[in-house]
C-alpha cells in the first residue's frame, strides 16, 4: 500500500471537483492533504504516516517520482472543452486562486490577462487568445505527464462524469491503497461532490463553486460551441496533441464543427 497518495489534475479539468473530494475524504479518514506546488513544499511531506499530495497543474517534483512509497491518480479532460471552459471562466474569475489573470503584462501593454480578454469583442478572438496563452500552458502540462508509469491510475473527466455508481473512482481509490471503511468514505465524498450527486441541484452550487462550474459539467461542448474557423487553427496547432492524448485519431473532427451564418 502506498504511503503517499498523489493526486494530479489540470486547470479547468475537474480540479474543483477532485479538490472537494480530497478535502472531504481527508477529513473523514484523518489523513492530511498537502498542496505540493514546487520543491519548496517538499519539507511538508511527512516522514511517517500517510498523506494525500496534490498538484492541480499535473506536476510533481522529481523527488516525489523517485520515491518507492507513492501511487498516483491523474485526471485529464478533452482539451477542447478545457479551452471553452477556461475562456469563459477567465472573463470574470477573481484574484483568489487565479493571480495570473490579474497581473499587468508588458506584452499586453500593461493590461492584465483578464482585461485583455474582456477587451476582445469577438468571441473567436477571445478563444484564440486563450488558446495561445493559458490553454497552451495547460496542454503542455498534460503532455509532460510521465504517461505509462505503472504506479499511476489514469482517469478521464468524461468517464468520471458517467461514473454514477462510483465503480471507476472506487478502482482508482483502491489502487491508491484505500479499502473497507476508507474506501466507502471516498465513494461518499465522490458522490457528495459530484454534479450528478450531491451537487445536482443548482442551489447546492454556491459561491466560487458556481462560477467554476457554470456549464454544469457538460461534455463535448466543443461540438456545439467551437467555431470551425477556430477549430481549424486549433487542429493545426494542437491536433497532434489531441491524438497523443487519445481524444482523436486524426483531424477530421474539424469538419463536424459549426459554421456561423454569414453576416447579412
Amino acid at each position: 500500500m502506498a504511503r503517499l497518495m498523489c493526486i494530479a489534475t489540470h486547470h479547468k479539468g475537474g480540479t474543483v471537483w477532485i479538490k472537494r473530494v480530497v478535502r472531504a475524504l481527508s477529513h473523514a479518514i484523518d489523513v492530511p492533504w498537502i498542496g505540493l506546488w514546487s520543491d519548496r513544499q517538499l519539507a511538508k511531506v511527512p516522514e511517517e504516516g500517510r498523506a494525500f499530495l496534490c498538484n492541480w497543474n499535473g506536476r510533481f517534483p522529481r523527488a516525489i517520482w523517485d520515491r518507492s512509497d507513492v501511487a498516483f491518480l491523474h485526471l485529464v479532460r478533452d482539451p477542447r472543452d478545457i479551452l471553452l471552459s477556461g475562456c469563459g471562466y477567465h472573463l470574470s474569475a477573481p484574484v483568489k486562486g487565479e493571480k495570473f489573470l490579474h497581473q499587468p503584462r508588458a506584452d499586453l501593454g500593461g493590461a492584465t490577462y483578464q482585461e485583455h480578454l474582456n477587451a476582445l469583442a469577438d468571441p473567436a478572438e477571445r478563444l484564440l487568445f486563450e488558446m495561445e496563452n493559458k490553454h497552451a500552458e495547460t496542454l503542455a502540462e498534460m503532455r509532460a505527464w510521465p504517461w505509462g508509469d505503472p504506479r499511476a491510475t489514469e482517469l478521464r473527466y468524461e468517464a468520471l462524469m458517467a461514473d454514477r455508481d462510483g465503480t471507476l473512482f472506487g478502482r482508482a481509490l483502491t489502487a491508491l491503497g484505500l479499502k473497507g471503511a476508507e474506501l466507502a468514505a471516498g465513494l461518499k465524498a465522490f458522490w457528495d461532490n459530484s454534479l450528478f450527486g450531491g451537487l445536482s441541484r443548482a442551489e447546492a452550487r454556491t459561491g466560487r463553486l458556481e462560477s467554476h462550474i457554470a456549464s454544469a459539467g457538460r461534455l463535448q461542448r466543443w461540438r456545439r460551441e467551437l467555431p470551425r474557423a477556430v477549430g481549424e487553427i486549433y487542429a493545426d496547432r494542437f491536433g497532434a496533441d489531441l491524438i497523443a492524448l487519445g481524444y482523436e485519431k486524426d483531424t477530421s473532427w474539424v469538419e463536424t464543427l459549426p459554421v456561423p451564418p454569414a453576416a447579412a
Side-chain angles (χ1 to χ4, degrees):
M1 180 176 70
R3 185 175 73 84
L4 301 175
M5 299 170 282
C6 306
I7 300 176
T9 64
H10 298 272
H11 187 64
K12 302 307 294 178
T15 293
V16 173
W17 184 11
I18 298 302
K19 185 176 182 179
R20 289 173 63 92
V21 171
V22 172
R23 281 180 166 175
L25 177 55
S26 170
H27 177 74
I29 68 175
D30 195 26
V31 172
W33 80 273
I34 299 166
L36 203 58
W37 321 126
S38 68
D39 288 353
R40 291 192 299 272
Q41 288 81 41
L42 285 172
K44 296 182 180 180
V45 177
E47 297 183 2
E48 297 180 350
R50 291 180 299 161
F52 293 105
L53 305 183
C54 302
N55 185 283
W56 313 132
N57 295 304
R59 294 181 302 224
F60 284 109
R62 183 72 255 168
I64 296 298
W65 288 101
D66 289 341
R67 300 182 67 111
S68 60
D69 56 353
V70 294
F72 300 86
L73 186 159
H74 178 222
L75 178 66
V76 297
R77 184 184 186 184
D78 190 318
R80 293 161 293 190
D81 279 348
I82 288 180
L83 171 66
L84 290 164
S85 180
C87 189
Y89 173 61
H90 294 155
L91 287 169
S92 58
V95 174
K96 186 176 181 180
E98 313 296 352
K99 291 182 180 179
F100 78 95
L101 292 172
H102 302 274
Q103 297 169 339
R105 287 176 41 168
D107 63 325
L108 298 179
T112 67
Y113 190 115
Q114 189 171 94
E115 289 169 344
H116 182 79
L117 196 61
N118 276 283
L120 298 171
D122 184 356
E125 289 298 318
R126 288 176 175 173
L127 286 170
L128 291 173
F129 175 76
E130 176 77 14
M131 183 191 306
E132 292 300 334
N133 286 272
K134 183 60 176 179
H135 185 70
E137 177 184 319
T138 299
L139 195 45
E141 290 166 354
M142 293 171 70
R143 288 297 308 275
W145 177 261
W147 295 92
D149 192 299
R151 299 169 297 175
T153 298
E154 306 291 349
L155 293 177
R156 293 183 185 272
Y157 177 87
E158 296 77 19
L160 216 52
M161 282 292 290
D163 191 28
R164 304 303 173 93
D165 62 1
T167 298
L168 186 62
F169 194 68
R171 290 173 183 164
L173 293 180
T174 300
L176 290 180
L178 301 185
K179 57 184 178 181
E182 291 187 342
L183 177 58
L187 292 174
K188 182 180 186 301
F190 176 68
W191 174 263
D192 288 347
N193 291 284
S194 295
L195 290 171
F196 49 76
L199 299 181
S200 60
R201 294 176 293 105
E203 55 267 31
R205 307 191 294 266
T206 59
R208 291 189 68 215
L209 180 61
E210 184 178 18
S211 66
H212 270 284
I213 54 176
S215 69
R218 289 195 303 273
L219 304 180
Q220 296 193 328
R221 290 177 57 189
W222 62 269
R223 291 189 181 277
R224 303 176 298 277
E225 302 177 37
L226 190 64
R228 186 174 300 186
V230 176
E232 289 172 348
I233 296 173
Y234 192 97
D236 182 64
R237 180 78 165 80
F238 299 119
D241 297 303
L242 287 178
I243 294 171
L245 291 169
Y247 278 98
E248 292 293 346
K249 295 182 178 179
D250 51 40
T251 58
S252 61
W253 58 272
V254 175
E255 301 170 8
T256 71
L257 295 177
V259 179

